Amino acid sequence: MTQGRPLLNRRLAEFGTTIFAEMSALAVRTGAINLGQGFPDTDGPEEVREAAVRALRAGHGNQYPPGPGVPELRTAIAAHQQRRYALTYDPDTEVLVTAGATEAIAASMLALLEPGDEVIALEPYYDSYAACIAMAGASRVPVTLHPEPSTGTYRLDLDELRAAVTPRTRLLLLNTPHNPTGTVLTREELAAIAELACERDLLVVTDEVYEHLVFEGEHLPLASFPGMRERTVTISSAGKTFSFTGWKVGWITASPELVTAVRSAKQFLTYVSAGPFQYAVAEALALPDSYFTALREDMRAKRDLLAAGLADAGFKVFKPAGTYFVTADIRPLGESDGFAFCRALPERCGVVAIPNAVFYDHREAGAPFVRFAFCKKPEVLEAAVTRLARLR
């Protein structure tokens, strides 16, 4: 200790080593199949990888790229939003390239929040949300998505969301398609959220990194709803869509005023990153619709394979409408503690999962649920299913 104080500041005191690091290390130590951390075990399109090689050899991006991102990528992002969602953004003033979606979230929280502000996030939430809100000195207010065993889905209670808004609420932090539950917010839910944001004059940050992995329903950007274009920061990235998670290329689209604010924080985080990869992602975003369709159908088949295997092993399965994660209830197996279950699972049957309780403020609400990733080769998922059958 120095001067009798802990070294880690109190804003981050509750955040130690992430569960992902712990469980991945456990997978290595035990030789277990890692269905915990959400990264693919195959690379993305060869033509996109070759585009990165060409950029490296041509000297594109080997030095600092422009602060907002290379023009080619910003133009491609704007074209993608127009083509997919009829949302028009100026690539020069309304697009910002970031070091993955994680930096986009951090920069948005640091830029838009003051100490004492409240941020509503849908619980369970991706763990970096809580840390980013804390770093900004704001307070998180979780609104819980409720499991519905009869339908095998999670749903948002709009009355609970409205009741969570107070005079201190500054911002709604949404994620759809939602990690870890796989929920895809419906048109009716998004319309109600938009109405609430306009009525209470709230900013909204939407994490839409799984936008191309929707199996039931459709992805609808909140920014496309009435009154939301000027108050929404939309975040996405290349990692989940193109299976190059290590490149860390993300972006935001928003009004010029919001982009300027977020960039003011982002420039003091990484300043710039991933120069040559930005050129490759620009080409990736221009791939034909057949690529995105094939990606979705491939991931749907993997979802169905793992979901069926989990059900056969005795879990209650919540089949996701999007993302590449399945949530499973361990209570039919006679278990109730997700942490203990996941820490024992590698030794019991050689598979790693993540306890959902780490994504909750209300730990008891997530205690009996665990998350499995299905963004793996079919043969890996089949081997995992075979091992999990030992639980029966």
Side-chain angles (χ1 to χ4, degrees), residues 173-243:
L173 176 54
L174 302 181
N175 175 208
T176 182
H178 181 267
N179 171 19
T181 68
T183 299
V184 176
L185 294 179
T186 65
R187 183 180 296 276
E188 292 72 24
E189 288 168 332
L190 290 166
I193 291 168
E195 182 180 357
L196 176 64
C198 293
E199 175 190 325
R200 302 300 295 269
D201 192 23
L202 304 176
L203 296 173
V204 184
V205 174
T206 61
D207 177 352
E208 302 180 12
V209 297
Y210 295 100
E211 60 184 306
H212 292 292
L213 292 172
V214 175
F215 314 120
E216 274 90 42
E218 59 180 329
H219 176 64
L220 299 167
L222 189 66
S224 65
F225 284 73
M228 297 309 296
R229 173 68 168 73
E230 300 307 311
R231 65 177 66 244
T232 302
V233 175
T234 302
I235 295 172
S236 195
S237 77
K240 303 302 187 293
T241 298
F242 302 109
S243 298

Side-chain angles (χ1 to χ4, degrees), residues 3 25 37 50 68 76 111 148 154 158 194 224 239 275 297 323 338 345 354 375 379:
Q3 300 174 346
Q37 198 162 2
E50 286 303 310
E148 296 182 350
Y154 279 75
L158 291 168
S224 65
E297 294 310 310
T323 76
L345 193 61
I354 297 292
C375 51
E379 57 267 31

Side-chain angles (χ1 to χ4, degrees), residues 25 54 70 124 135 171 222 229-230 239 265 329 371 379:
R54 289 199 313 273
V70 301
M135 285 190 285
L171 187 148
L222 189 66
R229 173 68 168 73
E230 300 307 311
D329 188 337
R371 190 193 79 174
E379 57 267 31

Side-chain angles (χ1 to χ4, degrees), residues 63-259:
Q63 308 306 325
Y64 293 134
V70 301
E72 291 85 348
L73 178 53
R74 287 184 280 117
T75 298
I77 292 166
H80 172 274
Q81 296 301 91
Q82 177 64 49
R83 184 174 73 254
R84 292 280 172 179
Y85 311 120
L87 285 168
T88 301
Y89 289 98
D90 184 332
D92 292 327
T93 62
E94 297 185 311
V95 179
L96 175 66
V97 177
T98 60
T102 302
E103 187 194 40
I105 294 162
S108 296
M109 298 300 105
L110 291 169
L112 301 175
L113 298 174
E114 296 280 1
D117 285 341
E118 292 180 350
V119 178
I120 294 175
L122 302 185
E123 180 186 59
Y125 45 73
Y126 183 56
D127 62 345
S128 79
Y129 294 178
C132 291
I133 292 167
M135 285 190 285
S139 299
R140 64 183 182 272
V141 177
V143 171
T144 307
L145 296 176
H146 297 288
E148 296 182 350
S150 61
T151 61
T153 61
Y154 279 75
R155 290 267 55 96
L156 171 64
D157 186 320
L158 291 168
D159 290 333
E160 288 185 18
L161 179 64
R162 293 186 190 97
V165 178
T166 76
R168 293 188 298 277
T169 306
R170 166 71 165 172
L171 187 148
L172 305 179
L173 176 54
L174 302 181
N175 175 208
T176 182
H178 181 267
N179 171 19
T181 68
T183 299
V184 176
L185 294 179
T186 65
R187 183 180 296 276
E188 292 72 24
E189 288 168 332
L190 290 166
I193 291 168
E195 182 180 357
L196 176 64
C198 293
E199 175 190 325
R200 302 300 295 269
D201 192 23
L202 304 176
L203 296 173
V204 184
V205 174
T206 61
D207 177 352
E208 302 180 12
V209 297
Y210 295 100
E211 60 184 306
H212 292 292
L213 292 172
V214 175
F215 314 120
E216 274 90 42
E218 59 180 329
H219 176 64
L220 299 167
L222 189 66
S224 65
F225 284 73
M228 297 309 296
R229 173 68 168 73
E230 300 307 311
R231 65 177 66 244
T232 302
V233 175
T234 302
I235 295 172
S236 195
S237 77
K240 303 302 187 293
T241 298
F242 302 109
S243 298
F244 290 114
T245 59
W247 289 8
K248 297 300 291 180
V249 179
W251 53 83
I252 73 165
T253 52
S255 68
E257 295 79 11
L258 285 170
V259 166

Side-chain angles (χ1 to χ4, degrees), residues 16-83:
T17 302
T18 71
I19 191 68
F20 303 104
E22 177 188 345
M23 300 310 294
S24 291
L26 187 57
V28 172
R29 188 168 73 249
T30 61
I33 296 172
N34 189 354
L35 300 187
Q37 198 162 2
F39 58 84
D41 56 2
T42 57
D43 285 342
E46 181 63 23
E47 60 266 41
V48 177
R49 184 163 54 177
E50 286 303 310
V53 172
R54 289 199 313 273
L56 281 165
R57 288 176 173 160
H60 295 157
N62 292 337
Q63 308 306 325
Y64 293 134
V70 301
E72 291 85 348
L73 178 53
R74 287 184 280 117
T75 298
I77 292 166
H80 172 274
Q81 296 301 91
Q82 177 64 49
R83 184 174 73 254

